[in-house]
Amino acid sequence: MSATGLKCPACGSDYLSGDDQCPNCGGDLADLDASASTPLGTYLQTHTLKEMRQSKLVVLDESDTLEKAVKMMAGASTGAAMVKAADGTWGIFSERDILTKIDPTTADLTQHKLAEFVTRDPVKLRPEDSVAIALNKMSIGGYRHIPLFDKSGPVGMISVRDILATLVDAMA
Amino acid sequence: MGIPLIYTPLLQRPARQVMLADPPSLGPKAQVREALEKMHQCKSGCVITVEGGKPVGIFTERDVLRRLSRGELHPSAMLEEVMTPNPVALGLDTPIHEAMRVMNQRGIRHLILVDSEGGLAGVVLIRHITEALAESCPEAVLNLPPRIHQKMKQAEGA
């Protein structure tokens, strides 16, 4: 298809004027003009995650102890860390896992490995994805953190508070 | 910059419409152990310390993380020793966009709402804000195709 200058907001593919659905991903294009009329909607669709404030990216290994994770995360003031498994795949560990999976007042943090706590294959986005996509994942999945990946691996972490900070600034 | 809010009426609703009413709360003499049990049970990231019906403190999972990292999470400590005293609290009719602004300014994920007598009425969670934002522009946020990264080399079909 030749370039039309019209890009699907979801996948970035070209579409033809008059298409109701994106020919690549099937995304709904019929309402695009309507959404363009709300400034917040337009902002969310046209700004990318790499423009947002980001959290510190903490990268750990599944064989690391819970003690190390807690210290690194508290030190970075972030509630989530990326955890690499021995097979090279990635998982995510969050502060909520501490509350739900152990009794933190009695557990010996040095005796627990992250492998017990990690959530494997979390939702990942790319730095060039739109803020709208991140909000979609966060509101539907209930996530507070989404790792940003490029081909080399994790390159960032974005939290719901990071998005909030950017939006509040933009609304001021 | 300067996104005009007049186009987003859903963010101008009073925060009481999205808050969690009757949030997990305990007295100031309750123990950390009880607070953690309550958070676990209610799947909540915070417990609000209440005295005479009024919020006097808040204890959140971030406090748990910080204290744990310093080895200072003692199960028998009293909530009043570990809580953040005098938590930020706003009125029930605060608009959602104002709640957003305050949560961002104070760096908090839980915002207490009080009634006209200052009694604990509810808490606005940051996920209520995410949901309100998503609902206020469904075309942009909610109506996305299921697999946005799917890219085909050629259009499918004949």
Side-chain angles (χ1 to χ4, degrees):
Chain A
M1 191 187 301
S2 63
T4 58
L6 298 170
K7 301 265 186 216
C8 168
C11 72
S13 308
D14 291 323
Y15 67 92
L16 296 173
S17 178
D19 282 354
D20 283 344
Q21 284 197 326
C22 170
N24 173 53
C25 71
D28 185 11
L29 303 171
D31 289 337
L32 269 192
D33 291 344
S35 71
S37 67
T38 77
L40 180 60
T42 307
Y43 181 93
L44 296 175
Q45 284 178 325
T46 54
H47 287 73
T48 61
L49 295 173
K50 63 185 168 206
E51 300 168 59
M52 302 287 112
R53 185 183 92 178
Q54 290 187 13
S55 298
K56 285 202 179 105
L57 177 64
V58 174
V59 177
L60 294 161
D61 197 272
E62 270 197 348
S63 60
D64 285 330
T65 62
L66 192 51
E67 183 195 32
K68 180 176 176 185
V70 162
K71 289 209 156 109
M72 299 262 300
M73 284 159 65
S77 291
T78 183
M82 291 315 292
V83 181
K84 193 171 195 179
D87 63 3
T89 58
W90 291 92
I92 193 165
F93 171 73
S94 85
E95 58 191 337
R96 182 57 61 93
D97 296 321
I98 302 170
L99 276 175
T100 54
K101 295 181 182 166
I102 53 162
D103 176 355
T105 58
T106 53
D108 180 353
L109 302 187
T110 61
Q111 294 304 310
H112 288 279
K113 303 285 189 203
L114 284 181
E116 298 169 52
F117 300 95
V118 76
T119 304
R120 288 168 215 280
D121 197 23
V123 166
K124 312 174 184 85
L125 290 174
R126 303 167 300 183
E128 62 272 22
D129 282 325
S130 72
V131 188
I133 292 174
L135 262 183
N136 170 283
K137 299 291 179 198
M138 284 174 167
S139 65
I140 291 171
Y143 312 122
R144 282 183 301 192
H145 297 91
I146 295 185
L148 303 183
F149 272 69
D150 68 12
K151 289 192 179 80
S152 65
V155 293
M157 179 71 81
I158 195 141
S159 77
V160 57
R161 273 202 281 176
D162 295 326
I163 291 186
L164 185 62
T166 314
L167 286 180
V168 167
D169 282 348
M171 285 174 175
Chain B
M1 297 304 249
I3 304 170
L5 284 170
I6 53 163
Y7 300 103
T8 50
L10 286 178
L11 296 184
Q12 298 179 48
R13 289 178 295 167
R16 66 158 87 211
Q17 288 186 13
V18 297
M19 74 177 184
L20 171 71
D22 197 20
S25 64
L26 286 169
K29 306 286 183 204
Q31 294 184 341
V32 164
R33 183 188 294 121
E34 294 168 67
L36 292 173
E37 275 166 16
K38 194 140 206 148
M39 287 157 91
H40 189 117
Q41 265 169 20
C42 306
K43 295 198 162 83
S44 162
C46 76
V47 167
I48 297 162
T49 319
V50 175
E51 207 166 15
K54 295 186 176 170
V56 294
I58 189 165
F59 183 64
T60 70
E61 59 191 332
R62 184 53 57 92
D63 297 323
V64 173
L65 179 71
R66 287 214 192 93
R67 290 195 164 263
L68 212 47
S69 75
R70 301 194 300 257
E72 290 172 5
L73 191 72
H74 307 301
S76 56
M78 281 185 288
L79 212 41
E80 64 184 1
E81 302 170 68
V82 298
M83 68 186 189
T84 304
N86 308 313
V88 186
L90 298 179
L92 281 166
D93 290 321
T94 308
I96 294 172
H97 64 80
E98 175 64 10
M100 258 175 84
R101 197 186 62 75
V102 171
M103 288 169 96
N104 175 55
Q105 188 185 37
R106 308 292 287 258
I108 55 178
R109 289 190 299 220
H110 310 89
L111 177 65
I112 295 171
L113 297 186
V114 289
D115 59 28
S116 52
E117 272 92 55
L120 174 65
V123 61
V124 178
L125 308 176
I126 202 155
R127 80 160 292 120
H128 298 145
I129 302 288
T130 327
E131 286 165 1
L133 282 167
E135 285 165 12
S136 40
C137 22
E139 314 84 1
V141 176
L142 296 178
N143 300 358
L144 292 173
R147 299 177 60 197
I148 42 207
H149 293 150
Q150 175 177 346
K151 253 199 177 180
M152 317 222 177
K153 289 197 177 100
Q154 278 184 320
E156 225 175 303

